[in-house]
Every structure is written in structure tokens, then in C-alpha cells.
Amino acid sequence: MKAMGTDPRILSLAAEVAISPEQNVPVILLKLKEIINNTPFGSSELKKVKQDIYCYDLIRYCLLVLSQDCSRIQGGWTTISQLTQILSHCCVGLEPGEDAEEFYNELLPSAAENFLVLGRQLQTCFINAAEGEEKDALLHFFEIVTDSLFWLLGGHVQLIQNVLRSDHFLHLLQTDNVQVGSTVMTMLQNILQISSGDLLRIEGKTLHSILDEVVFKLLSTPSPVIRSTATRLLLLMAESHQEILILLRLSACYKGLRSLLNKQEPGTEFSQELRQLIGLLSPKVYQEVEEQKLHQAACLIQAYWKGFQTRKRLKKLPSAVITLQRSFRSKRTKMLLKLSRQKEEEDHRLQLQLQRQRAMRLSRELRLSMLEIVHPGQVEKHNREIEEKSALIIQKHWRGYRERKNFCQQRPSLVEYKAAVTLQRAGSEVSGVINRELHSQAQERLQHYFMGRALEERAQQHREALTARINTNIEQLMKAPSLKEAEGKEPELFLSRSRPVAAKAKQAHLNTLKHIQAPWWKKLGEEARDEIDIPKDELSIELGTLFIGGTKPP
């Protein structure tokens, strides 16, 4: 895919890569660094250079070189570190155009993974190397690779999740070397400052592994550099995400973390960050975090509810607009109709006024013409006749107006009078016999109703009295003591006031006692009944007219 107006330097470099042997390609690709550095940063020319590099697949050549064995590359780690810088700078700010899907989904994740693999290889070489210049050079190359990875992640934040999920990154973080561990944790801190939300999007197991390693380095490493970096990193995680703070506070894996942090040396350089971290893990801060979390949840619920209400109103908006338009048009129509009527009335009034003026003018002209015809001696007589006619006309109109006004005022009374006359005429047509029959039937029905009503009232009163008496007896029986505990005149309260009732109760009680005391052979022909077990000492009691006992006391 070749673009129009290609930079001649890129064109010659691509041709040189195409015809050169494989072992010379890495050294040739290093010329891209000079081209990029000589182009003004942030200019449109630099974007065009990056597009040309991508169009001629020079970025893929860099990826292929980085995936090869370091020992086969001319220049070794020096060439590889410079190629990582070239690759990261070419990928950031690049607009791939038609191949955007391939660029974002394949090329960028592959570049990030290659950077992590190179970091692990440099880590292994650094640990195995002897002290001296070689180790310092390897550490420098490792820092270049991590810086290139951070530059790439800064331009493409979607790669942060891929890096955090990678096993290579976790292995880099789990190193025991102070310098390498400090560099990796510093890079992680810078990554979280760019986009801290990606930390919660990774799997829980990976997140726990990262937290475990940071806490381990903070508590177990004697190096103050590692402890300081771990403290800042853990503080950044806790401040950025309440979930991580709650996890550090409540999880059984981190039980006692606050007490262990309190035992750290107070005079260290990172004591301020350490105190902040201890303060975040305190119960008071945890309660504030919980309240803040509840507040955010309430705000989220309110936002969803307000959004729902707004969408609901928006759905009803067309009908509301139609109703408003209909109301406005109706009001406007009524107003226009009112204005047209007022205009018509005004025109009619003006026409009447003009007609009146014209009639008066014609009358005067006619009067003048008549005066010219009449003899001078009869002018006065003629004027009197005209005045009399005018007076008669005025009186006629006035009387008509007065009568019409009186008729309008008397019209309701006239309507009532006509109605009364109609009713009287209809009533006079009914015979007296029918009236008397109707009257007698009405009297009988009223008498029957009132008699039945009196009987019902007496029956209702009798029922209410019986109900009250039964309720009173029930209450007395519920509150009464047993026969053994009864003393004085308490048993007399349950005697019936009715002699027939008392006699019937006594007779029934005696029959029951006789049946109980009868020999067994007298009960053979009788139906089986439930035996009543009554203690003998409770049967020998006699209370007034109601006998309740068995054998009389001696």
C-alpha cells in the first residue's frame, strides 16, 4: 500500500532493506531514528513520515527483528534497545487509515508483548551478569525498553489491560533485584497515573497477584528504594480505587497490614506516604469511604432515574407539542373571530350612523322643500303638525321599549302562572273517588310501616339486652375462680335468677349423678357415652337452688 508523495528517505531506506541480507536489516533500520529525530515533533510532516514508514511495512520489519534471537542480531542489545525506541515512536501518533483494524488488533498488541519478552530476557541477563560495566549497560538497555513500552502505552491506552494481564509483566514485577524491581514498579505507577481504571478491569486473580507482590516488597524488602516505590504505588492504588482500599481493609489475605505498616521505621524518606497509607487503612477512613460509596451509588441511581424521567418526557413530547399547537391555534382562531366580530360590529355601527345622518339630512331637505311649497301663513300650523307626529312616534317607540322590558321581567312569573293553571286543570279532571282511594291506601301503608317499625325496634332492643346479659355472664365465668378456691358468696354470683331454669338445671344434674352412681349392669342397654371423671370432693357441694354435688356431707 504505497502513498502518494512518499518521502525519498523512506523510499530509499525501504529499497535498501528489500535488497540487503537479513543480518544487515537491523542496522539499516536504525537509520529511521535519524529521520524521526530530524523531523519537527508534533508537525504534520512527522505524521506523514510515520505513515510512509507504516505503508512500506518498515514497522513490521522492526517487529520481526525484535522477535529474533539477540545473539543473531548485529549490535546486540544496543541495536535492539534503539529499535524499541523507533517502534514505539512510530506507532504513537500514527493514523493507519484503511488498515486500522489490523493495526490496532494485531500489530500494537504484538509490539507490547515483544517489549515484555525483551524485558524478561534483559532481566535474566542482568541477574546472571557479573558486576561491572556489563551489568550497568544491561540495566540501561532495560530502562530503554521499559521507557519505550511506557511511551507506547501512553499513546495507546487500550494496551494497558493487555500488559497488566500478561504473565511476562507479572514475572518482571516478581523479581528480587532492587534495580529491576524499582524500574518495573515505577513504570506501573506511571501507567496507573495515565489510566487507573484498567486495573479493575483485569481478572481478580491477576489483581491479587499484583497487590500481593507490592505488599510483599513493601514489608519484606530491606531496600529503602523498593519500599519507597512500593509505598507510593500502593498509596496510588488505594486512593484511585475504593474497591482496592476495601480489599486491603477487609480481605483475610491482608489481615494485620495496618499493624505491620505501623512497625516500619518512622524516620525514612517515604514516612509521609506511609502515614497517608496507614491513615487510609484506618476504620474512620474506611467508614468515610463506605459513605462516599453509598453517596456515589445514590447519585448513580438518581442519574438513572432522572434519565428515565427525561426519556419518558421526551416520548410524550410530540403529543404535548401537538396539544400545545392545537390549544394555540384554537386560541388564535377565537381571538381572530372575536376581532372580526368587533370589526363587523364597528362597521355596522358606522353604517347605522351614516344611515342616520343621511336620513336626517334627507329629512331636513324634505322639510325645507315642504316649507317652500307651503303658504307662509300656514307654516306655523305645518310645524305644529310635524312636531305632534314626531312626539307620537317617540312615545310609540318608548312605550314599546318599556313594555318589552316589563315583559322580560315578568316572564318567569308568567311561566309559573301557566304551569299552575295547567296543574289545576289536570287535577280537576281526576275524580274525587280516586283521590279518596289513593289517600286511604297511602294511610294504610304508612300505618303498616310505622307498626312494623315499632315491633322491629322492640325486638332489636330485646336482642341487645340478651346479648349484653350473655356477654356479662361470659366475662364473670372467665374471671371466676375454681370451685376449690371459691370463698364466701362468690358461688352465689352464678345462680340463675329464673326459677324454671334453676329447677331444670337441678333436675338434669341429679339425673346425671344417678346415672353415674348406678351399677354397671343397669347401663348395659344404654348407648356408650364418654365417661366423666369428676373428683369426689368436688361433687359434695350444694349452692342454693343449683345443686352441683354428689353425696351430702355428714
Side-chain angles (χ1 to χ4, degrees):
M1 186 183 68
K2 296 183 180 181
M4 297 298 293
T6 307
D7 192 317
R9 296 173 296 177
I10 305 297
L11 190 61
S12 62
L13 184 62
E16 188 176 357
V17 168
I19 63 177
S20 298
E22 183 179 354
Q23 61 272 16
N24 296 334
V25 170
V27 180
I28 297 173
L29 291 174
L30 293 178
K31 297 179 181 179
L32 290 172
K33 186 176 182 180
E34 183 181 357
I35 297 174
I36 294 173
N37 292 335
N38 293 333
T39 308
F41 181 76
S43 62
S44 58
E45 184 181 355
L46 181 59
K47 291 183 180 180
K48 184 64 172 58
V49 168
K50 292 179 180 180
Q51 287 180 353
D52 293 340
I53 293 173
Y54 178 71
C55 290
Y56 283 93
D57 290 335
L58 296 179
I59 292 179
R60 290 191 178 276
Y61 275 108
C62 292
L63 276 176
L64 291 174
V65 172
L66 293 178
S67 61
Q68 295 178 3
D69 188 7
C70 174
S71 59
R72 297 174 54 189
I73 297 176
Q74 186 178 355
W77 287 112
T78 304
T79 304
I80 290 176
S81 61
Q82 292 181 6
L83 286 177
T84 56
Q85 290 180 330
I86 294 171
L87 181 59
S88 61
H89 282 80
C90 289
C91 291
V92 175
L94 174 62
E95 297 178 358
E98 297 178 358
D99 298 335
E101 184 177 357
E102 180 183 359
F103 176 74
Y104 289 112
N105 296 336
E106 296 180 7
L107 194 145
L108 289 179
S110 177
E113 190 69 16
N114 281 336
F115 286 175
L116 292 174
V117 172
L118 291 173
R120 286 200 62 186
Q121 293 176 1
L122 282 168
Q123 178 187 11
T124 304
C125 295
F126 176 79
I127 294 173
N128 296 330
E131 295 290 339
E133 296 181 357
E134 181 183 1
K135 201 160 189 173
D136 295 338
L138 289 173
L139 179 61
H140 177 67
F141 296 146
F142 182 78
E143 291 175 352
I144 292 175
V145 172
T146 54
D147 291 341
S148 301
L149 177 60
F150 176 70
W151 183 265
L152 181 65
L153 296 179
H156 302 280
V157 293
Q158 72 275 10
L159 297 175
I160 294 178
Q161 292 188 40
N162 298 342
V163 172
L164 295 178
R165 291 194 185 103
S166 177
D167 295 334
H168 299 297
F169 176 77
L170 190 59
H171 282 292
L172 288 174
L173 188 63
Q174 291 175 347
T175 182
D176 294 332
N177 187 269
V178 175
Q179 297 168 323
V180 175
S182 176
T183 304
V184 175
M185 284 195 294
T186 303
M187 182 184 68
L188 178 58
Q189 183 178 354
N190 295 332
I191 289 173
L192 294 181
Q193 288 176 353
I194 296 175
S195 177
S196 60
D198 292 316
L199 188 62
L200 295 178
R201 298 190 183 97
I202 62 178
E203 293 80 2
K205 184 178 179 181
T206 307
L207 177 60
H208 278 279
S209 299
I210 295 174
L211 285 176
D212 291 344
E213 187 61 29
V214 175
V215 172
F216 175 77
K217 290 183 182 301
L218 174 59
L219 299 176
S220 303
T221 306
S223 172
V225 178
I226 292 293
R227 291 164 57 194
S228 174
T229 308
T231 303
R232 295 189 185 93
L233 180 57
L234 197 60
L235 181 62
L236 177 61
M237 291 180 181
E239 288 179 344
S240 302
H241 303 288
Q242 297 178 1
E243 292 80 359
I244 295 178
L245 180 59
I246 295 171
L247 183 64
L248 294 174
R249 175 67 184 167
L250 299 179
S251 179
C253 301
Y254 309 107
K255 187 176 181 180
L257 176 61
R258 185 167 177 266
S259 60
L260 292 174
L261 292 176
N262 285 324
K263 296 179 182 179
Q264 298 293 320
E265 298 178 5
T268 56
E269 298 178 355
F270 58 96
S271 57
Q272 183 177 358
E273 290 85 357
L274 189 62
R275 286 195 298 270
Q276 292 179 5
L277 183 59
I278 295 172
L280 285 177
L281 296 176
S282 63
K284 183 178 179 181
V285 175
Y286 171 70
Q287 185 177 2
E288 293 177 357
V289 169
E290 285 293 319
E291 292 178 356
Q292 186 178 3
K293 187 176 180 181
L294 292 176
H295 177 71
Q296 291 178 355
C299 292
L300 184 62
I301 293 172
Q302 290 178 356
Y304 276 105
W305 171 250
K306 290 177 181 178
F308 169 74
Q309 292 286 74
T310 304
R311 288 189 296 272
K312 190 175 179 181
R313 284 196 298 269
L314 288 176
K315 288 182 180 179
K316 294 181 179 179
L317 188 60
S319 59
V321 170
I322 293 172
T323 305
L324 182 62
Q325 290 178 347
R326 187 186 301 114
S327 175
F328 172 75
R329 289 167 183 168
S330 175
K331 187 175 181 180
R332 184 179 61 181
T333 304
K334 291 180 181 178
M335 188 179 295
L336 293 175
L337 182 61
K338 183 179 179 181
L339 291 175
S340 63
R341 286 179 180 176
Q342 290 179 355
K343 186 176 180 181
E344 290 177 358
E345 290 177 358
E346 185 69 19
D347 294 341
H348 182 65
R349 187 178 62 81
L350 291 175
Q351 288 179 2
L352 290 177
Q353 187 177 0
L354 290 174
Q355 290 178 0
R356 192 178 296 112
Q357 290 176 358
R358 192 179 296 111
M360 289 178 65
R361 186 167 56 252
L362 292 175
S363 175
R364 289 173 183 174
E365 290 177 355
L366 181 61
R367 187 176 178 182
L368 290 174
S369 63
M370 291 295 294
L371 287 175
E372 291 177 355
I373 297 173
V374 176
H375 191 272
Q378 296 180 353
V379 172
E380 187 175 355
K381 181 181 178 181
H382 178 72
N383 289 336
R384 282 200 302 272
E385 291 178 355
I386 292 175
E387 289 177 356
E388 289 176 359
K389 290 181 180 179
S390 301
L392 290 174
I393 292 172
I394 293 172
Q395 290 176 359
K396 181 177 65 174
H397 283 283
W398 166 250
R399 288 168 183 168
Y401 167 74
R402 186 180 60 185
E403 292 299 327
R404 286 192 297 273
K405 185 176 180 181
N406 292 335
F407 177 76
C408 290
Q409 294 176 354
Q410 296 174 0
R411 188 171 183 177
S413 59
L414 291 175
V415 173
E416 294 177 357
Y417 175 76
K418 287 183 178 180
V421 171
T422 303
L423 290 174
Q424 290 175 0
R425 187 181 296 113
S428 61
E429 294 177 357
V430 181
S431 63
V433 179
I434 297 175
N435 289 337
R436 285 193 295 273
E437 289 180 356
L438 292 174
H439 182 69
S440 61
Q441 290 178 4
Q443 290 294 330
E444 289 177 0
R445 292 184 179 178
L446 285 173
Q447 185 177 4
H448 179 72
Y449 169 73
F450 284 114
M451 289 179 64
R453 184 177 179 183
L455 293 175
E456 289 180 359
E457 289 180 354
R458 284 197 293 273
Q460 181 65 22
Q461 291 176 358
H462 182 65
R463 285 193 296 271
E464 291 178 355
L466 290 177
T467 305
R469 184 183 300 174
I470 291 170
N471 291 334
T472 304
N473 293 336
I474 290 172
E475 291 180 0
Q476 291 179 354
L477 288 173
M478 294 295 291
K479 297 178 181 179
S482 62
L483 293 177
K484 287 183 178 181
E485 300 173 354
E487 296 178 358
K489 296 183 179 181
E490 290 181 353
E492 295 179 0
L493 298 175
F494 302 100
L495 296 179
S496 176
R497 298 180 181 179
S498 175
R499 289 285 180 178
V501 173
K504 181 66 175 175
K506 184 175 180 180
Q507 185 64 34
H509 189 61
L510 288 174
N511 292 337
T512 304
L513 291 176
K514 287 179 181 180
H515 181 270
I516 293 172
Q517 296 174 357
W520 61 271
W521 47 270
K522 287 185 179 182
K523 301 178 184 179
L524 292 175
E526 298 179 0
E527 296 179 357
R529 295 185 299 178
D530 295 337
E531 294 184 359
I532 303 173
D533 188 10
I534 302 175
K536 200 168 185 179
D537 54 347
E538 293 184 6
L539 296 175
S540 301
I541 298 174
E542 184 178 4
L543 298 173
T545 58
L546 182 60
F547 184 76
I548 308 179
T551 59
K552 293 184 178 180

